[in-house]
Amino acid sequence: MVESNKGILLESGTNELEIIEFEVNQNKYGINVIKVKEIIMPAHVTIIPNAHPFVEGIIQLRGEVLPVVNMRKVLKSQEQTYCANEKFIVTEFNQQKIVFHVDNVSKIHRISWERIEKPSDLYSSQSNEIVGVIKQDQDMILMLDFEKIITEINPNINIKVAEVKKLGKRERSNKRIVLAEDSALLRGLLEETLNEAGYEQVQFFENGREAFAYLDSLLKEGKRITEEVQLVITDIEMPQMDGHHLTKKIKETNDMNDLPVIIFSSLITDTLRHKGEIVGADAQVSKPEINELIKYIDALIL
């Protein structure tokens, strides 16, 4: 058993991350260390009848019953036999613990988000699990969208317009919001739900770098930032610039630091919340708690 997220990345807002490199069918993939609780040897898996095809079954780990996701099936590998070095990666995000079954776990890399390239439209799509590409020596490490994988298994855990409707009839608002989110699927869901909540003036960006460049351009044009934008919402994990670094840059920039920032991420947990506090986030909400997000938006800009 290997503990994986203790004492790593001492500073918040450095625009760096640690990734665990793992292999599936001889391809190299990466997962943010922040998501990983531990890495263990494979345990006995109890098969669940009529489970989703990606779900291998369940295991018991320290009294908890956890689902095991077969990454060979997720990545559509024709070979379903694992090798001798196979491992279970125990993760926690989106307020749940999930185990991912992989061929091997090889090493940990510390890299800048700037090194993670957005997948080209030629080989990526909204239905693809790849959200970033890292060139590493002669190899490439593919960063996977684990939230999307889990949503495909259980669509009920994603953001839903129906949840917003429970808040009752909403007045239209002319408040302008900047939102940084790298997932095309989530951008679409957020646009729909925020519109339902009365917030129709939302400008979307695919990463923190693009969002900050837009805000900075307003300042360079001599505009008062809080008259042009009333709120920033950001994910944490994004290529080029992550949400913690974006928040830090906003809060350290003169004439921009009064802008409220909400971090909306699957990585908001009791043990990681301090990272957002350090960089000055005004609020932090765990995906997919869309109602909580809207309540914070209301409190900060209405």
Side-chain angles (χ1 to χ4, degrees):
M1 179 180 69
V2 179
E3 293 286 346
S4 300
N5 63 356
K6 308 296 184 185
I8 295 175
L9 281 183
L10 300 179
E11 297 180 44
S12 185
T14 62
N15 207 36
E16 293 179 306
L17 78 158
E18 299 266 4
I19 64 163
I20 292 178
E21 178 187 323
F22 65 90
E23 297 175 12
V24 176
N25 199 29
Q26 300 182 336
N27 285 333
K28 299 180 185 297
Y29 300 93
I31 180 172
N32 194 333
V33 166
I34 290 177
K35 286 188 168 82
V36 179
K37 300 295 290 182
E38 58 186 309
I39 298 165
I40 62 174
M41 298 300 294
H44 172 71
V45 176
T46 300
I47 297 173
I48 302 297
N50 302 316
H52 188 280
F54 292 172
V55 177
E56 203 169 305
I58 56 176
I59 64 168
Q60 187 174 168
L61 184 63
R62 299 186 193 87
E64 292 185 281
V65 176
L66 306 178
V68 178
V69 175
N70 185 315
M71 289 302 291
R72 281 186 172 264
K73 290 185 177 179
V74 169
L75 298 168
K76 300 175 177 59
S77 169
Q78 297 301 313
E79 175 58 57
Q80 290 301 314
T81 303
Y82 281 88
C83 64
N85 295 323
E86 60 188 298
K87 296 291 189 300
F88 280 2
I89 301 177
V90 183
T91 68
E92 183 175 16
F93 58 92
N94 270 10
Q95 301 180 327
Q96 57 186 332
K97 292 181 181 177
I98 300 154
V99 180
F100 293 93
H101 189 176
V102 303
D103 287 359
N104 188 25
V105 174
S106 47
K107 61 189 76 171
I108 294 179
H109 305 278
R110 181 170 183 165
I111 62 169
S112 167
W113 281 103
E114 292 178 350
R115 285 187 53 199
I116 302 179
E117 299 180 12
K118 176 190 170 186
S120 166
D121 292 338
L122 291 175
Y123 59 83
S124 182
S125 67
Q126 189 164 314
S127 62
N128 198 303
E129 289 83 10
I130 300 171
V131 291
V133 179
I134 304 167
K135 298 172 185 175
Q136 186 71 22
D137 299 325
Q138 300 301 314
D139 296 319
M140 286 188 291
I141 301 173
L142 306 178
M143 295 295 290
L144 297 178
D145 187 344
F146 286 89
E147 287 86 353
K148 182 178 180 300
I149 292 168
I150 298 308
T151 299
E152 188 169 343
I153 295 171
N154 181 11
N156 292 325
I157 67 171
N158 217 330
I159 296 165
K160 293 184 179 61
V161 176
E163 292 299 310
V164 179
K165 290 181 178 178
K166 292 178 183 177
L167 296 174
K169 183 168 177 57
R170 308 273 300 179
E171 294 296 325
R172 300 294 95 182
S173 172
N174 60 0
K175 302 292 186 178
R176 291 188 285 274
I177 296 172
V178 162
L179 199 153
E181 167 62 63
D182 66 320
S183 167
L185 174 66
L186 281 178
R187 286 197 301 273
L189 290 172
L190 283 166
E191 182 173 24
E192 186 178 8
T193 50
L194 290 174
N195 284 354
E196 179 66 27
Y199 296 106
E200 299 174 319
Q201 305 295 319
V202 183
Q203 190 155 358
F204 289 88
F205 296 91
E206 294 186 2
N207 57 62
R209 186 176 71 174
E210 292 179 2
F212 186 80
Y214 169 72
L215 295 171
D216 192 47
S217 71
L218 295 176
L219 288 184
K220 289 176 178 176
E221 291 171 8
K223 295 179 179 177
R224 186 178 175 86
I225 194 76
T226 51
E227 291 179 357
E228 301 298 319
V229 177
Q230 283 72 57
L231 179 75
V232 174
I233 301 170
T234 180
D235 188 17
I236 292 177
E237 295 184 287
M238 296 179 290
Q240 301 301 311
M241 183 188 293
D242 71 5
H244 284 143
H245 193 59
L246 170 62
T247 304
K248 184 178 181 181
K249 285 179 71 68
I250 289 171
K251 295 301 182 179
E252 290 182 348
T253 301
N254 291 336
D255 300 322
M256 198 185 293
N257 49 20
D258 288 338
L259 197 56
V261 179
I262 300 176
I263 296 177
F264 184 54
S265 167
S266 64
L267 300 180
I268 305 301
T269 64
D270 290 340
T271 56
L272 296 173
R273 188 175 295 274
H274 72 282
K275 289 181 173 291
E277 293 170 351
I278 288 170
V279 294
D282 295 270
Q284 300 180 77
V285 183
S286 175
K287 293 175 181 176
E289 302 292 338
I290 188 67
N291 281 8
E292 287 299 307
L293 175 64
I294 290 166
K295 288 175 183 177
Y296 276 115
I297 297 172
D298 292 350
L300 287 168
I301 65 175
L302 287 186

Coordinates of all heavy atoms in Angstrom, one line a residue, residues 11-15 234 236 242-252 257 261 263 273-282 284:
E11 N 2.8 24.5 -1.4 CA 2.2 25.8 -1.7 C 1.0 25.7 -2.5 O 0.9 24.8 -3.4 CB 3.2 26.7 -2.3 CG 4.4 27.0 -1.5 CD 5.4 27.9 -2.2 OE1 5.0 28.9 -2.8 OE2 6.6 27.6 -2.2
S12 N 0.0 26.6 -2.4 CA -1.1 26.7 -3.2 C -1.0 27.9 -4.2 O -0.5 28.9 -3.8 CB -2.4 26.9 -2.3 OG -3.6 26.8 -3.1
G13 N -1.5 27.7 -5.4 CA -1.5 28.8 -6.3 C -0.3 28.9 -7.1 O 0.0 29.9 -7.8
T14 N 0.6 27.8 -7.2 CA 1.8 27.9 -7.9 C 1.7 27.5 -9.4 O 2.6 27.5 -10.1 CB 2.9 26.9 -7.3 OG1 2.4 25.6 -7.4 CG2 3.2 27.3 -5.8
N15 N 0.4 27.1 -9.7 CA 0.1 26.6 -11.1 C 0.9 25.3 -11.4 O 1.2 25.0 -12.6 CB 0.4 27.6 -12.2 CG -0.5 27.4 -13.4 OD1 -1.6 27.0 -13.3 ND2 0.1 27.7 -14.6
T234 N -14.6 29.4 -11.1 CA -13.5 28.7 -11.7 C -13.5 27.2 -11.2 O -13.7 27.0 -10.0 CB -12.2 29.4 -11.5 OG1 -11.1 28.6 -12.1 CG2 -11.8 29.5 -10.0
I236 N -10.8 23.9 -10.6 CA -9.4 23.9 -10.2 C -8.6 23.3 -11.3 O -7.6 23.9 -11.8 CB -9.3 23.1 -8.9 CG1 -9.9 23.8 -7.8 CG2 -7.8 22.9 -8.6 CD1 -9.8 23.1 -6.4
D242 N -4.4 26.6 -13.6 CA -5.5 26.0 -12.8 C -6.2 27.1 -12.0 O -5.9 28.3 -12.0 CB -4.9 25.0 -11.8 CG -4.0 25.6 -10.7 OD1 -3.9 26.8 -10.6 OD2 -3.4 24.8 -10.0
G243 N -7.3 26.7 -11.4 CA -8.2 27.6 -10.7 C -7.6 28.3 -9.5 O -7.9 29.5 -9.2
H244 N -6.7 27.6 -8.8 CA -6.0 28.2 -7.6 C -5.1 29.3 -8.1 O -5.1 30.4 -7.5 CB -5.2 27.2 -6.8 CG -6.1 26.3 -6.0 ND1 -5.8 24.9 -5.8 CD2 -7.2 26.5 -5.3 CE1 -6.7 24.4 -5.0 NE2 -7.6 25.3 -4.7
H245 N -4.4 29.1 -9.2 CA -3.5 30.1 -9.6 C -4.3 31.3 -10.2 O -3.9 32.5 -10.0 CB -2.6 29.6 -10.7 CG -1.4 30.4 -11.0 ND1 -0.5 30.8 -10.1 CD2 -1.0 31.0 -12.2 CE1 0.5 31.6 -10.7 NE2 0.1 31.7 -12.0
L246 N -5.4 31.0 -10.9 CA -6.2 32.1 -11.4 C -6.7 33.0 -10.3 O -6.7 34.2 -10.3 CB -7.4 31.5 -12.2 CG -8.5 32.5 -12.6 CD1 -8.0 33.6 -13.5 CD2 -9.7 31.8 -13.2
T247 N -7.2 32.3 -9.2 CA -7.7 33.1 -8.1 C -6.6 33.9 -7.4 O -6.9 35.1 -7.1 CB -8.3 32.1 -7.0 OG1 -9.3 31.3 -7.6 CG2 -8.9 32.8 -5.8
K248 N -5.5 33.3 -7.3 CA -4.3 34.1 -6.7 C -4.0 35.3 -7.5 O -3.8 36.4 -7.0 CB -3.1 33.2 -6.6 CG -1.9 33.8 -5.9 CD -0.8 32.8 -5.8 CE 0.4 33.4 -5.1 NZ 1.6 32.5 -4.9
K249 N -3.9 35.2 -8.9 CA -3.6 36.3 -9.7 C -4.6 37.4 -9.6 O -4.3 38.6 -9.6 CB -3.4 35.8 -11.2 CG -2.1 35.0 -11.4 CD -2.0 34.6 -12.8 CE -1.8 35.7 -13.8 NZ -0.4 36.3 -13.7
I250 N -5.9 37.0 -9.6 CA -7.0 38.0 -9.5 C -6.8 38.8 -8.1 O -6.9 40.0 -8.1 CB -8.4 37.3 -9.5 CG1 -8.6 36.8 -11.0 CG2 -9.5 38.3 -9.1 CD1 -9.9 36.0 -11.1
K251 N -6.6 38.0 -7.1 CA -6.5 38.7 -5.7 C -5.3 39.5 -5.5 O -5.2 40.3 -4.6 CB -6.7 37.6 -4.7 CG -8.1 36.9 -4.7 CD -9.2 37.9 -4.5 CE -10.6 37.2 -4.4 NZ -11.7 38.2 -4.2
E252 N -4.2 39.2 -6.4 CA -3.0 40.0 -6.2 C -2.8 41.1 -7.2 O -1.8 41.8 -7.2 CB -1.8 39.0 -6.4 CG -1.6 38.0 -5.2 CD -0.4 37.1 -5.3 OE1 0.1 37.1 -6.4 OE2 -0.1 36.4 -4.4
N257 N -8.7 43.0 -7.5 CA -8.8 42.1 -6.3 C -10.1 42.2 -5.6 O -10.3 41.5 -4.7 CB -7.6 42.4 -5.4 CG -7.4 43.8 -5.1 OD1 -8.3 44.7 -5.3 ND2 -6.2 44.2 -4.7
V261 N -14.5 35.6 -6.2 CA -14.2 34.4 -6.9 C -14.8 33.2 -6.2 O -14.5 33.1 -4.9 CB -12.7 34.2 -7.0 CG1 -12.3 32.9 -7.8 CG2 -12.0 35.4 -7.8
I263 N -14.7 29.1 -6.2 CA -14.1 27.9 -6.8 C -15.1 26.8 -6.8 O -15.7 26.4 -5.7 CB -12.8 27.5 -6.0 CG1 -11.7 28.5 -6.1 CG2 -12.3 26.1 -6.5 CD1 -10.5 28.2 -5.3
R273 N -9.7 22.2 1.3 CA -10.4 23.5 1.3 C -9.4 24.6 1.7 O -9.5 25.7 1.2 CB -11.5 23.5 2.3 CG -12.4 24.7 2.2 CD -13.6 24.6 3.2 NE -14.5 23.5 2.7 CZ -15.5 23.7 1.8 NH1 -15.6 24.9 1.3 NH2 -16.2 22.7 1.4
H274 N -8.4 24.3 2.5 CA -7.4 25.3 2.9 C -6.7 25.9 1.7 O -6.2 27.0 1.7 CB -6.4 24.8 3.9 CG -5.4 23.8 3.3 ND1 -5.8 22.5 3.1 CD2 -4.1 24.0 2.9 CE1 -4.7 21.9 2.6 NE2 -3.7 22.7 2.5
K275 N -6.5 25.1 0.6 CA -5.8 25.6 -0.6 C -6.5 26.8 -1.2 O -5.9 27.7 -1.7 CB -5.6 24.5 -1.6 CG -4.6 23.4 -1.2 CD -4.5 22.3 -2.2 CE -3.4 21.3 -1.9 NZ -2.0 21.9 -2.0
G276 N -7.8 26.7 -1.3 CA -8.6 27.8 -1.8 C -8.6 29.0 -0.9 O -8.6 30.2 -1.4
E277 N -8.6 28.7 0.4 CA -8.6 29.8 1.4 C -7.3 30.6 1.3 O -7.3 31.8 1.4 CB -8.8 29.3 2.8 CG -10.2 28.7 3.0 CD -10.3 27.9 4.3 OE1 -9.2 27.7 5.0 OE2 -11.4 27.5 4.7
I278 N -6.2 29.9 1.1 CA -4.9 30.5 1.0 C -4.8 31.5 -0.2 O -4.2 32.6 0.0 CB -3.7 29.5 0.9 CG1 -3.6 28.7 2.2 CG2 -2.4 30.1 0.4 CD1 -2.7 27.5 2.1
V279 N -5.4 31.2 -1.3 CA -5.3 32.1 -2.5 C -6.4 33.1 -2.5 O -6.4 33.9 -3.4 CB -5.3 31.2 -3.8 CG1 -4.1 30.4 -3.9 CG2 -6.6 30.4 -3.9
G280 N -7.3 33.1 -1.5 CA -8.2 34.2 -1.3 C -9.6 34.0 -1.9 O -10.3 35.0 -2.2
A281 N -10.0 32.7 -2.2 CA -11.3 32.5 -2.8 C -12.4 33.0 -1.8 O -12.3 32.8 -0.6 CB -11.5 31.0 -3.0
D282 N -13.4 33.6 -2.4 CA -14.5 34.1 -1.5 C -15.5 33.0 -1.1 O -16.2 33.1 -0.1 CB -15.3 35.2 -2.3 CG -14.4 36.4 -2.6 OD1 -14.5 37.3 -1.7 OD2 -13.7 36.4 -3.6
Q284 N -16.1 28.3 -1.8 CA -15.7 27.1 -2.5 C -16.9 26.1 -2.4 O -17.4 25.9 -1.3 CB -14.5 26.5 -1.8 CG -13.3 27.4 -1.8 CD -12.1 26.8 -1.1 OE1 -11.4 25.9 -1.7 NE2 -11.8 27.2 0.1

